[in-house]
Amino acid sequence: MEVKVVKLYNPFPVGPTNIYIINREIVLDSGINLPESVQKLENSLKELDLDFDTAKLVISHPHADHFGSAYLFKKAFAHRNACKKLHDAERSYLELVYIHFQREGLPYRLALRMMENYERVYKGLVIASDSCSAIGGTLKANGDVLKVIHVPGHSYGHIALYHKETSTIFSGDVMLNGITPNPMIEPIDEERRMPVIEQYLETLENLYKLEISRAYPGHRDVVFDYRKIIRNHLEEYEKRSLLIFENAHKKNAFEVATSLFADLKQLFLIMTETIAQLDFLEKRGFVEKRDGKYHITGEKSELVEMWTRIKEKIVSKG
Ligand SMILES: [Zn+2]
Ligand SMILES: [Zn+2]
């Protein structure tokens, strides 16, 4: 299997986005819709005698830095949830997220500011497109067969591509060197949300038991010791879970978030992480939500024990 790596400019804190051109046929991720990123992508395709009409785009997951310029490609393939988000450039998804943020205590003026920011900045970073078809099962790249694996938790529409013969995986944002993926909330409607941390733990468990000699991630360097990275991510999730548990009493999610994390420039990420962790704690019986505020109903020692069991279960698969 021939893999060409292209690093594209990405304004988000995680750094450049990795694009992979596999066997001169499949392009995994398009990057964000900014001129310097699009120009470099076009040049990299040209070097391999490809262009936006002939290359087959596969989208790892529906975030601006991965599918922002997907609209340029004639043929695009992704998880059906990612196609749905591409269809309106995440608009209906984000509108629901802002409703959930307000239900979790975000003041209206800040929600308004987020929406204005969306209109002003984010909207241009992802362009809507109807050229997306849903994939599953397997995918062919000039003779090589890649298995499509659903890996929700960071984003519900997230897939990974696995090449069994060389134990290579294209893993997107679910395991990254030196940074832990954010559990982005996934509203089902105005009231309900998907259990994203439960989904992420299942994803890590499924990846841990795979044989992987090389993981090509969505950002940063190639991952060789993926099991170590998964163990690190689990430690980070446990730490956050305990921190939020200890600070949740008689607060709404916004109050928890702003009491713990000072950098309010990252308010979107802080809110989504806090809500996801509180959902997890509530589902597992450690907090209860009454009149918009969370109340601690479990013991810290039990939460530590639970995380020990979660980690042992996942690590025993290796
Ligand atoms: Zn992402
Ligand atoms: Zn990313």
Side-chain angles (χ1 to χ4, degrees):
M1 190 172 48
E2 182 194 316
V3 180
K4 180 178 164 134
V5 188
V6 184
K7 289 193 175 281
L8 296 184
Y9 170 71
N10 173 24
F12 297 141
V14 63
T17 303
N18 296 331
I19 306 301
Y20 299 102
I21 307 176
I22 307 165
N23 287 348
R24 297 169 189 251
E25 186 182 8
I26 285 179
V27 178
L28 181 64
D29 286 346
S30 70
I32 205 155
N33 187 48
L34 284 171
E36 53 269 67
S37 173
V38 170
Q39 192 55 57
K40 188 168 175 191
L41 176 64
E42 192 170 13
N43 294 344
S44 308
L45 291 175
K46 214 183 272 170
E47 281 167 25
L48 297 176
D49 272 334
L50 285 168
D51 58 38
F52 293 128
D53 287 348
T54 54
K56 216 196 241 181
L57 177 72
V58 175
I59 296 163
S60 72
H61 68 291
H63 286 162
D65 49 340
H66 298 267
F67 81 153
S69 54
Y71 73 99
L72 293 167
F73 289 80
K74 207 167 171 184
K75 288 170 290 193
F77 301 86
H79 186 272
R80 61 184 158 73
N81 174 275
C83 285
K84 200 175 144 210
K85 285 174 180 160
L86 184 60
H87 176 74
D88 69 352
E90 291 186 80
R91 174 177 280 275
S92 51
Y93 164 74
L94 287 168
E95 278 171 359
L96 272 180
V97 168
Y98 300 144
I99 290 171
H100 279 258
F101 280 3
Q102 289 177 77
R103 292 176 62 91
E104 296 293 334
L106 182 77
Y108 179 66
R109 66 184 164 83
L110 291 177
L112 205 60
R113 203 187 290 168
M114 273 187 197
M115 277 180 258
E116 280 164 10
N117 191 51
Y118 167 79
E119 293 295 338
R120 208 161 35 83
V121 185
Y122 195 82
K123 216 169 92 176
L125 304 178
V126 189
I127 304 295
S129 165
D130 278 327
S131 65
C132 186
S133 312
I135 45 166
T138 56
L139 196 72
K140 280 206 182 90
N142 265 331
D144 276 310
V145 177
L146 296 160
K147 192 175 173 207
V148 179
I149 307 173
H150 187 211
V151 287
H154 166 63
S155 167
Y156 185 71
H158 202 317
I159 54 161
L161 302 178
Y162 183 59
H163 184 243
K164 199 166 175 243
E165 287 72 18
T166 55
S167 2
T168 301
I169 194 164
F170 298 89
S171 49
D173 281 2
V174 289
M175 42 185 191
L176 298 171
N177 255 314
I179 188 165
T180 303
N182 190 298
M184 301 273 196
I185 61 164
E186 292 280 353
I188 298 165
D189 50 38
E190 291 194 4
E191 273 151 45
R192 294 173 303 153
R193 292 185 285 270
M194 289 187 195
V196 291
I197 290 193
E198 302 284 356
Q199 289 173 350
Y200 187 59
L201 293 173
E202 203 181 317
T203 287
L204 291 184
E205 186 170 337
N206 291 335
L207 292 174
Y208 205 90
K209 57 186 174 201
L210 273 184
E211 275 314 315
I212 298 171
S213 59
R214 177 184 286 255
Y216 288 111
H219 307 275
R220 306 192 172 199
D221 302 331
V222 174
V223 170
F224 294 103
D225 196 351
Y226 66 107
R227 287 188 173 134
K228 190 175 156 199
I229 295 224
I230 290 175
R231 289 195 300 272
N232 282 343
H233 288 346
L234 286 168
E235 294 292 337
E236 287 305 315
Y237 267 65
E238 177 184 7
K239 258 190 236 162
R240 282 292 163 94
S241 174
L242 286 166
L243 184 69
I244 287 168
F245 170 75
E246 287 182 305
N247 289 281
H249 202 51
K250 293 186 179 168
K251 290 191 190 108
N252 61 40
F254 174 72
E255 288 161 345
V256 178
T258 47
S259 71
L260 291 175
F261 310 106
D263 185 7
L264 292 187
K265 281 204 294 282
Q266 306 289 334
L267 190 57
F268 186 94
L269 296 175
I270 294 167
M271 277 299 285
T272 184
E273 179 169 7
T274 305
I275 294 170
Q277 288 285 4
L278 286 166
D279 282 351
F280 177 74
L281 290 168
E282 189 182 21
K283 189 171 176 239
R284 300 264 180 155
F286 288 94
V287 299
E288 221 176 74
K289 198 179 175 189
R290 288 196 299 269
D291 307 323
K293 304 256 180 185
Y294 290 89
H295 298 263
I296 293 176
T297 49
E299 292 296 327
K300 189 187 169 188
S301 58
E302 287 168 13
L303 183 57
V304 173
E305 265 171 47
M306 187 192 74
W307 273 102
T308 306
R309 282 196 303 276
I310 289 170
K311 289 186 291 184
E312 275 170 7
K313 181 168 173 261
I314 293 174
V315 170
S316 70
K317 301 286 160 68

